[in-house]
Each structure stands twice: as C-alpha cells, then as structure tokens.
Amino acid sequence: MAEAIELTVNGRAVRVSNPSKPYFPERGITKGDVVQYFLSVGDGILGALRDRPTTLERWPGGVFEGAKLSTRADNRGDAFYQKRVPKGAPDYVETARITFPSGRPADEVCPTELAVVAWAANLGTLTFHPWPVRRPEVDHPDQLRVDLDPQPGTTFRDAVVVAHELRELLAELGMTGFPKTSGGRGLHVYVPIEPRWTFVEARRALIALGRELSRRRPDQVTVNWWKEERGERIFIDFNQGARDRTIACAYSVRPTPRALVSAPLDWAELDDVVPEDFDIETMPARFAKVGDLHAGVASEAYSLEPLLELVARDEREGLGDLPYPPEYPKMAGEPKRVQPSRARPEE
C-alpha cells in the first residue's frame, strides 16, 4: 500500500490512508480515486448533505466478490452502517442529535463542509444516507422522497413511465419533483417541502401520493406493502417517509462492481438514459458540464397541504394508514402487520 497522503480541502487538511488500496478491483478504482471523485462533485454532494444528520455506509475493504453488508440479523458483514459519529472524528465534523423510532437518541455526522465528505470517504464511506431533515428542525422533514422501486418482472424503463405520471400529478398539486437514478434499478424523485409537518404526516402524504398514482395506473403502480400482493408493478415505497428511513443521496457511490452512482437527472433526458450511464468515472465530466441538477431541492419548498387533502379524501373513503416496517413500535391507526397469506380469519 502507498503511504498516506494529505489533501487540502477548502483549507482543511484531510489525511487519506492507503490511497492505492483497491476499492472496485474490477474497474481498477482505488480508495484515492473514490476520494477524488467526491471532491470532483463537491458542490453537488455537499448540497445533498449540508446540515443533514447522515448515516455513513462504510466499505473499508472495498467492494469485492462475496462482500456483504452487515444487517440487524447478521453483523458479520464486510461493510456496515455508521449511525453515530465515529470516535476520534476531527473537530470540524459537526453532529446533529436525532431520535430513532425506539426513542433512543444518537449524534449523527452532520456535514457542513466538503472536508467532512473527504474525511468520511477515507473511512470507506461510499454511500451517504442523509435524513430528510436539516438542523435545527430534525423532527420536521423538508423533503418527500418518492422511491419508485421496480418489482420482479419490471425494469428501469417501467419506473420511467411511472415517473412521468408522477411529474404530471405533482404539477397538478402545484409541486415540482427532482428525479435521480438510485444507482440500482430504480428511480427517486425528491419533492422539497416546508418543514412544518411531522414524519407521520409526511409519510401519510407519501401514501396518498402513491395511492393516487395507483388509481391512475393500476396495472403499473402499487402501494401494497406485502410482496406477495405487488405483482409486476412499480412499488411506491411509502415507508421511506418513516422516521429513520433514508435513501442514498445524489452523487453517492453504490457498492456495485461497476461503481455506479446515484445521478441527478433532467426530466427531458429521462427516456434516454440507463443507470449504467453514470459511474464514478463518467460523473465528474457530466457534473462539470451540467452542474448540480438537484440544486433546486435546497432552494424550493412546497406546502404539504394539497397532499394532506388527498389523505383526508382517502380516509373518507375508508383508506387509512398502511403497515410500518417490522422493527418499528406499533403506531396509532396502523393496521395489523400480518402477511395476508398468513393472517387468520379474525385478523
């Protein structure tokens, strides 16, 4: 391994250890390349993270065949989520205190400058997972993140069709969405909102949005939480709006052999791109040419009231809440978390 190097990032000295360490061996991409990538899209990645409590997805050994991510059920993986600020973090690494659904608090990394991104990349962070909140309003989301998740039998192209329908619906509601690739098979559309509502209200707004999309394209869209009921449709993952749920931010690197990245898109190019167009080697030139296509996410803010009106309409029609993830405490008004094929008649 090469000796450590020191980078100057906006006046901060950031140490990068073992910069020649292979991180994506199939592409010949090193740890140093990953750090330089984040610096090349600096305004974009910092725009996605600034003042947001952020979970770090760390792959300190790089992405190699057989590498896996630790989970709640099995913590023996090669990579892991860092939800609390690491011990020994530099003094310029600021934090934000958040509360998990269990009620436990945590001080998470809260990036305020690009040196924090470079420091995190040196720790093996490939994917940044910011909360949809900004300090000091950490209990009031300022983003709706619409996750268009292709189910088996569907593709990225199917998600694109639904994204166009979503754009039209948002326009009817007086809102604008900002699309990006997930870095995988799906699409994300961010809708900036005023930080006036709770996580519960924002999640219900996402449910209402998904239900309206499913009414308009019933053969292509579903909000069914249980996989056995989704079919070959695009799932609107409404639980991405629940507290503590996060999405890989724009410009994050995904742990795929090709080092794909989550790429902000212009609506006009949506029909002509595929996720594989955007990786750690192609994104810097694209960013230099088009800039940050998600800059508007930080400058716009819409009222949630039009969506809350849809929530009220659904409730009048007998459509209430939907199940939370299994690790969440039982929530008020939530239906029973029972897989339909396993439910007893009285359930």
Side-chain angles (χ1 to χ4, degrees):
M1 298 293 180
E3 294 182 359
I5 61 174
E6 186 172 277
L7 302 176
T8 301
V9 182
N10 295 341
R12 300 281 193 193
V14 179
R15 182 178 183 272
V16 180
S17 61
N18 298 327
S20 63
K21 183 176 184 178
Y23 260 33
F24 293 90
E26 292 186 19
R27 300 288 304 276
I29 295 170
T30 66
K31 178 181 182 178
D33 294 331
V34 171
V35 176
Q36 289 295 340
Y37 160 74
F38 282 122
L39 295 179
S40 75
V41 295
D43 288 345
I45 187 71
L46 188 56
L49 297 175
R50 192 190 304 273
D51 291 324
R52 299 188 183 279
T54 301
T55 297
L56 311 178
E57 185 180 327
R58 295 175 56 183
W59 292 77
V63 178
F64 52 89
E65 186 176 359
K68 63 179 183 178
L69 187 63
S70 291
T71 64
R72 286 186 178 90
D74 183 359
N75 63 0
R76 297 170 297 176
D78 306 283
F80 59 96
Y81 292 108
Q82 180 96 48
K83 290 197 172 187
R84 290 174 168 80
V85 63
K87 293 181 179 179
D91 57 9
Y92 60 78
V93 177
E94 299 186 26
T95 62
R97 173 152 290 200
I98 49 83
T99 304
F100 297 121
S102 65
R104 293 181 297 109
D107 293 317
E108 286 208 334
V109 171
C110 189
T112 56
E113 55 181 287
L114 189 56
V116 178
V117 177
W119 162 81
N122 178 58
L123 296 180
T125 303
L126 297 179
T127 309
F128 293 84
H129 297 265
W131 283 47
V133 301
R134 283 186 286 191
R135 296 187 308 183
E137 297 291 343
V138 295
D139 291 319
H140 296 88
D142 69 344
Q143 294 173 348
L144 286 185
R145 298 169 175 178
V146 188
D147 183 4
L148 306 178
D149 186 7
Q151 299 303 291
T154 64
T155 67
F156 178 78
R157 294 262 67 87
D158 296 303
V160 168
V161 172
V162 175
H164 285 305
E165 187 71 47
L166 171 62
R167 186 189 188 192
E168 293 182 11
L169 173 55
L170 290 172
E172 293 173 18
L173 298 169
M175 298 175 167
T176 297
F178 296 81
K180 70 180 183 70
T181 65
S182 67
R185 298 174 61 241
L187 275 168
H188 300 153
V189 178
Y190 281 28
V191 183
I193 61 173
E194 299 167 355
R196 296 166 45 199
W197 293 274
T198 66
F199 278 99
V200 170
E201 291 168 317
R203 177 179 169 278
R204 289 299 303 273
L206 270 178
I207 291 173
L209 189 68
R211 280 174 168 155
E212 182 59 28
L213 282 173
S214 67
R215 289 186 186 99
R216 298 183 180 201
R217 290 188 174 265
D219 295 332
Q220 295 172 295
V221 178
T222 180
V223 291
N224 289 334
W225 176 245
W226 305 105
K227 291 183 180 180
E228 64 187 35
E229 296 185 325
R230 292 178 190 172
E232 296 184 359
R233 292 179 286 184
I234 301 299
F235 173 51
I236 308 299
D237 189 355
F238 55 87
N239 271 329
Q240 292 292 0
R243 178 185 289 273
D244 189 33
R245 285 302 172 102
T246 58
I247 285 178
C249 78
Y251 308 102
S252 277
V253 183
R254 306 314 304 272
T256 59
R258 291 195 54 187
L260 300 183
V261 305
S262 180
L265 301 172
D266 186 276
W267 284 105
E269 65 182 339
L270 205 56
D271 293 320
D272 301 318
V273 300
V274 293
E276 291 75 19
D277 292 334
F278 312 105
D279 62 33
I280 198 172
E281 294 184 339
T282 62
M283 180 56 80
R286 172 179 167 85
F287 186 81
K289 180 179 179 180
V290 305
D292 182 15
L293 296 180
H294 266 212
V297 177
S299 62
E300 302 286 342
Y302 301 105
S303 171
L304 202 59
E305 289 173 358
L307 280 170
L308 294 179
E309 291 176 4
L310 293 185
V311 172
R313 181 195 67 181
D314 287 346
E315 289 180 340
R316 289 193 297 270
E317 295 177 358
L319 297 173
D321 205 350
L322 292 174
Y324 275 77
E327 70 273 15
Y328 277 61
K330 184 67 176 179
M331 302 295 287
E334 179 191 2
K336 292 182 179 181
R337 299 178 197 171
V338 181
Q339 189 173 334
S341 61
R342 298 181 178 180
R344 295 191 296 271
E346 63 270 19
E347 293 179 320

